């Protein structure tokens, strides 16, 4: 069995839900209190034992590369002022095995993943979307890797969503639950309207895929939204290989959405050592005015 060592983080989307903020700033660099969202994703990968990460970037995404590079001027400045804690924070994001490739045009998530073909080669790999920040004892990516050790098959993370929201997600049509929380899948449907949705189990931003997905992506026609959809390619993969779905039960912050972003900021702030006490007080006071 091949080990899962590589992760792909597609980050070339336009981030239209956060306009005007994302007119000149990469959505992945929007912070949760003091940490860019993409750093949470990279940390989940590392905590899961991933060794190499490819970030698929596009126009206007240079700040992502700079964030994970060293900033000698800043480091010297902090060092000369004896700001050890800040220096550690700045240095924390360098020295990770990161690679970058550009998606020339935002033709869809499937097309973004296709850009990783040469990087991945003939190995199983994970795709991690920056829109979803996960918090669980065993990182979700690690859960998928554990499943792979048993099944050696592609496995997507899914989560129950309100029925009215199915049109926002890729939805699975589950066949049978083969072990607790692990489903055999009949087929996958991208963004079905609630009347046609085969279940309320939505694909969330973590996928473990076998490399055969690339041959399919190369021939995948545009689907919903006229984009090359990863879900459609996975549905095709499912016709020749087994594809499973792992139901996630931990905490998920949908930071690709305004409300999810604010919720993540509040909850992370409540845990943040510098501001947790004052923020708690502030929220208590504010709640009195509702
Ligand atoms: P989204 O559907 O969330 O699109 O993409 P988006 O452009 O990032 O954001 P909105 O919806 O316009 O606000 C899901 C993931 O796929 C990546 C995005 O960066 C995001 O991580 N993606 C999407 C690409 O890398 N390339 C694409 O062509 C499309």
């Amino acid at each position: 069995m091949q080990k899962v060592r590589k992760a792909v983080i597609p980050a070339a989307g336009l981030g239209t839900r956060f306009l005007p903020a994302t007119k000149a700033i990469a959505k992945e660099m929007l912070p949760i209190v003091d940490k860019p969202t993409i750093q949470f994703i990279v940390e989940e990968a590392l905590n899961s034992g991933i060794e190499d990460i490819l970030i698929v970037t596009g126009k206007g995404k240079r700040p992502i590369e700079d964030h994970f590079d060293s900033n000698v001027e800043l480091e010297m400045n902090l060092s000369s002022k004896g700001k050890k804690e800040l220096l550690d924070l700045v240095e924390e994001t360098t020295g990770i095995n990161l690679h970058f490739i550009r998606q020339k045009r935002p033709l869809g998530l499937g097309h973004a993943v296709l850009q990783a073909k040469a990087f991945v080669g003939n190995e199983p790999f994970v795709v991690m979307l920056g829109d979803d920040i996960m918090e669980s004892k065993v990182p979700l990516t690690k859960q998928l890797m554990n499943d792979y050790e048993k099944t050696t098959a592609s496995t997507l993370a899914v989560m129950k969503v309100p029925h009215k929201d199915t049109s926002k997600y890729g939805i699975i049509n589950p066949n049978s639950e083969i072990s607790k929380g692990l489903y055999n899948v009949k087929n996958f449907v991208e963004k079905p309207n609630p009347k046609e949705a085969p279940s309320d189990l939505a694909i969330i931003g973590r996928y473990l895929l076998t490399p055969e997905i690339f041959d399919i992506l190369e021939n995948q026609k545009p689907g919903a939204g006229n984009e090359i959809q990863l879900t459609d390619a996975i549905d095709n993969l499912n016709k020749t290989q087994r594809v499973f779905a792992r139901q996630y039960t931990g905490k998920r912050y949908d930071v690709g959405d305004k409300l999810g972003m604010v919720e993540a900021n509040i909850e992370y702030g409540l845990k943040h050592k510098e501001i947790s006490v004052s923020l708690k007080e502030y929220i208590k006071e504010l709640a009195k005015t509702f």
Side-chain angles (χ1 to χ4, degrees):
M1 189 203 55
Q2 277 179 304
K3 206 174 155 224
V4 182
R5 304 183 301 127
K6 294 177 180 171
V8 176
I9 306 179
L14 297 176
T16 51
R17 280 172 290 171
F18 277 98
L19 283 170
T22 47
K23 194 175 164 196
I25 291 175
K27 132 174 129 169
E28 295 75 15
M29 291 305 295
L30 296 176
I32 311 293
V33 184
D34 53 7
K35 198 191 278 193
T37 56
I38 195 153
Q39 194 177 329
F40 286 87
I41 310 300
V42 168
E43 286 173 1
E44 181 187 325
L46 298 177
N47 290 337
S48 301
I50 291 291
E51 295 163 18
D52 271 300
I53 301 169
L54 176 76
I55 301 184
V56 183
T57 65
K59 196 171 175 300
K61 305 282 182 164
R62 270 296 294 278
I64 301 177
E65 293 182 47
D66 290 340
H67 181 70
F68 291 104
D69 197 358
S70 53
N71 181 337
V72 179
E73 217 174 292
L74 176 64
E75 285 159 29
M76 276 166 51
N77 184 295
L78 294 173
S79 170
S80 70
K81 289 181 178 147
K83 296 190 171 167
K84 173 85 176 57
E85 260 184 52
L86 287 179
L87 184 62
D88 288 348
L89 276 181
V90 165
E91 286 179 341
E92 208 174 74
T93 52
T94 57
I96 303 165
N97 260 344
L98 280 180
H99 311 258
F100 296 90
I101 193 162
R102 278 177 79 117
Q103 182 190 17
K104 307 264 172 339
R105 276 186 293 155
L107 298 178
L109 176 58
H111 183 258
V113 172
L114 182 57
Q115 311 310 306
K117 186 177 181 199
F119 166 79
V120 169
N122 198 26
E123 298 182 24
F125 66 107
V126 290
V127 173
M128 307 174 73
L129 302 191
D131 281 350
D132 288 314
I133 292 183
M134 313 294 186
E135 213 178 74
S136 55
K137 211 153 58 188
V138 179
L140 179 52
T141 296
K142 179 71 184 152
Q143 293 181 29
L144 298 181
M145 290 160 72
N146 291 343
D147 285 330
Y148 181 81
E149 281 184 14
K150 295 185 198 112
T151 63
T152 67
S154 297
T155 307
L156 321 186
V158 296
M159 197 170 190
K160 260 204 164 31
V161 295
H163 191 66
K164 66 174 174 35
D165 290 343
T166 56
S167 58
K168 295 186 195 160
Y169 296 93
I171 298 290
I172 68 160
N173 186 2
N175 205 345
S176 54
E177 193 172 4
I178 57 160
S179 64
K180 196 171 183 317
L182 191 67
Y183 294 89
N184 231 321
V185 182
K186 243 183 258 166
N187 62 301
F188 302 83
V189 195
E190 181 63 19
K191 301 192 168 78
N193 70 50
K195 275 194 200 131
E196 281 150 22
S199 77
D200 294 341
L201 288 171
I203 302 171
I204 49 174
R206 303 292 181 271
Y207 310 71
L208 193 152
L209 297 170
T210 53
E212 286 75 23
I213 195 74
F214 292 115
D215 293 338
I216 296 172
L217 280 171
E218 270 175 335
N219 298 303
Q220 189 65 50
K221 300 267 173 317
N226 207 23
E227 293 193 339
I228 298 172
Q229 296 289 353
L230 183 60
T231 308
D232 295 345
I234 292 169
D235 194 45
N236 282 327
L237 183 69
N238 193 33
K239 290 172 186 153
T240 54
Q241 294 186 353
R242 297 167 309 157
V243 178
F244 296 102
R246 157 64 56 194
Q247 189 169 359
Y248 175 62
T249 53
K251 182 89 192 161
R252 163 178 176 258
Y253 298 100
D254 178 7
V255 297
D257 172 79
K258 291 186 189 80
L259 180 62
M261 183 69 160
V262 174
E263 287 171 359
N265 267 284
I266 294 172
E267 293 194 30
Y268 189 62
L270 286 170
K271 283 185 231 152
H272 194 289
K273 65 177 188 313
E274 272 171 52
I275 63 168
S276 72
V277 175
S278 321
L279 181 61
K280 213 175 281 170
E281 282 309 308
Y282 171 73
I283 292 173
K284 273 191 205 152
E285 282 306 308
L286 191 66
K288 288 179 194 161
T289 66
F290 291 158

